[in-house]
Each structure stands twice: as C-alpha cells, then as structure tokens.
Amino acid sequence: MLAEERHRIILELLKERNVVKLQDICERTQCSESSGRRDLQLLEERGLLVRVHGGAKMKQPLQRELDVMGKSTQNTQEKESLGAKAASYIQDDDVIYLDAGTSTIAIIPYLSEDQHLTVVTNGVEHASLLADKNIRTFLLGGRLKNTTKAIIGVEAANDLKRFRFNKAFLGINGVHEKYGLTTPDPDEAEIKRTALERSEKGYVIADKSKFGYVSFVKVADVTDATIITSTLPASVAKQYSSQATIQEVIL
C-alpha cells in the first residue's frame, strides 16, 4: 500500500474515533510498526494530528468553538444522561449556578418548582426554560456572545461576584491531566472560574470526547471540580483516577 493511501486511512480513522492506536493503524493498513510510526510523524509535521503514547489523536484548534446549533446536535443522548446525573446532586432549596451551554441545559428538564431552587445563569436560553418551569432565576447582565448565547464580559463577571452558591455546574471544552479544564474564550473562562470560586461544590459536565483535549484558556485544575462524564475507557479512567474526582454515567 502506498504511503499516501495509508495517510488517508489514518486520517479517516481519526475522524471516526478521535484517538487511534498504532496497533490498529498497522492492522488496517497492513504495515509494520516502524512504517506506522513514520506515517504518524509525517502527518504530525503537516499539522494533521498529534502523536500520543501508542498512537495519535485528532488535532484540535485551541480557539475553535462550535455555535449553539452545532453543539446541540452532538452527543445528544449522552448529554441527556449526564444532565440527569448532574441533577441528582441538586437538593431542595439549593442556590446553584448553571453555566451556559448544551451540556448544562440538559439539567433543566430534571428540575422542578417544588424543589424551591434559586438559579443564577449566564445562558439566555437557560433562563427562559427555567422561567417556564417557574423556577426562581437570575440572569447575569453583560455582553451577549452571539455564537453560544452566553452572557460574558466584565459586567457579567462583576455581577456574578455578588452571589454565593451551594453548587455550580459548568460545561467545558477540554479535560487534561496536566493542563486542566480549558475553554476557547477568555471571557467565558473568567465567568466559569468565578462561578467555581464562589461555590461550595463545583461540577463539570464533560462527555468522554473532551478528555485529553486542551483548549486556549485554563479555567481550573482537574482537582477543582467533580467531573461528570460517560463511561471512560479503562486506560483513561486510570490516568485521571489519582487526580480527579470522576462520576461516570454508564450508558
């Protein structure tokens, strides 16, 4: 098989899986491990992937972020399950912060007026849905980010500092054992960081595709919040077990 054909197959595997093992590449392309490693090195030099121990992962631009519509079509069933898990930590009379984003909006269907909650959010759609359920809601003031429909900026951060929370629930773009919890937008990172600091307990909702990825701005260390995620591969779970508190949802 020609090298160009092997490269095409490797990139297709990465699109399907995000992470691919060298052994799988060799079996799929019928090449030796030395050839497989050489292919990965060449593709990394071209900026098409990132080599990791035993294989490679898809390269993720540090500042790229999908809009709300794009995010809402990804991993919908998984997000519903994670939302239900997150909601199970909420107790009657809690004051909570609910971050903007499609992961956190999945919590709202599991909340009710009977819980007597107070919710602060920077998500415009979140606030509307909470109001529809007759839940006491505060929407932060500030600049509206058109792509994610999140309220951000200095005004929002200052507004947020007025409050204290029993629990904060955040979405995140990257979870990495070394580089921590990361997101593409510095303004959104500041809001997330402030919410964590003002909460007795912080939760981050991150499906398994977020693990190993690094985005532009660090929000916190992985030890600073409980990570709610779907069932992780054993190797990934072991990698983070000594640092992070992880609650897995079996799907």
Side-chain angles (χ1 to χ4, degrees):
M1 184 181 294
L2 295 175
E4 289 79 5
E5 179 65 12
R6 294 201 306 271
H7 295 173
R8 183 187 64 78
I9 292 173
I10 292 169
L11 294 175
E12 286 180 353
L13 287 172
L14 281 172
K15 286 181 181 180
E16 293 173 3
R17 310 178 188 178
N18 286 324
V19 178
V20 63
K21 296 179 181 179
L22 176 61
Q23 182 180 354
D24 293 337
I25 291 171
C26 294
E27 290 178 357
R28 184 73 172 267
T29 63
Q30 297 182 332
C31 72
S32 65
E33 288 194 3
S34 60
S35 294
R37 290 193 187 94
R38 187 162 54 249
D39 288 338
L40 294 181
Q41 181 178 350
L42 290 171
L43 290 170
E44 183 178 50
E45 290 172 356
R46 290 166 55 189
L48 298 174
L49 54 76
V50 177
R51 284 186 295 169
V52 296
H53 181 69
K57 66 179 182 180
M58 181 71 76
K59 184 174 182 180
Q60 184 184 49
L62 293 177
Q63 299 185 76
R64 185 184 69 182
E65 184 169 29
L66 294 174
D67 60 18
V68 171
M69 184 63 69
K71 289 182 178 180
S72 66
T73 61
Q74 292 186 335
N75 307 321
T76 53
Q77 184 176 356
E78 190 171 1
K79 287 176 181 177
E80 289 177 7
S81 298
L82 297 181
K85 179 69 173 180
S88 71
Y89 294 108
I90 298 173
Q91 298 174 311
D92 290 353
D93 301 307
D94 268 351
V95 177
I96 68 171
Y97 176 77
L98 203 57
D99 193 25
T102 56
S103 295
T104 53
I105 207 169
I107 297 173
I108 296 176
Y110 302 97
L111 305 181
S112 74
E113 178 184 0
D114 296 338
Q115 292 175 283
H116 305 292
L117 304 171
T118 296
V119 182
V120 178
T121 184
N122 70 327
V124 173
E125 187 174 359
H126 297 54
S128 178
L129 292 173
L130 288 162
D132 289 342
K133 296 175 75 72
N134 203 29
I135 293 172
R136 186 173 186 240
T137 303
F138 291 82
L139 177 63
L140 296 182
R143 175 170 63 88
L144 177 64
K145 183 177 178 180
N146 294 337
T147 53
T148 61
K149 301 300 186 288
I151 303 294
I152 58 173
V154 175
E155 296 90 346
N158 288 336
D159 200 8
L160 184 56
K161 290 174 183 176
R162 297 188 296 139
F163 303 107
R164 295 288 302 179
F165 308 105
N166 298 113
K167 303 174 181 78
F169 296 88
L170 309 179
I172 207 72
N173 295 77
V175 179
H176 192 279
E177 59 176 339
K178 180 179 179 181
Y179 300 111
L181 307 170
T182 54
T183 198
D185 188 315
D187 288 332
E188 289 205 53
E190 179 63 21
I191 297 294
K192 294 175 192 289
R193 188 181 302 115
T194 302
L196 272 182
E197 290 171 352
R198 305 195 71 78
S199 301
E200 295 173 6
K201 182 71 175 178
Y203 296 89
V204 167
I205 302 172
D207 63 68
K208 58 180 177 290
S209 70
K210 306 293 178 63
F211 282 76
Y213 284 116
V214 180
S215 198
F216 183 46
V217 187
K218 182 177 179 179
V219 173
D221 293 324
V222 294
T223 55
D224 291 336
T226 296
I227 301 172
I228 300 173
T229 188
S230 45
T231 306
L232 297 171
S235 59
V236 176
K238 182 179 180 181
Q239 185 179 2
Y240 288 87
S241 61
S242 62
Q243 298 184 53
T245 301
I246 295 177
Q247 296 294 326
E248 294 182 75
V249 178
I250 299 174
L251 301 178

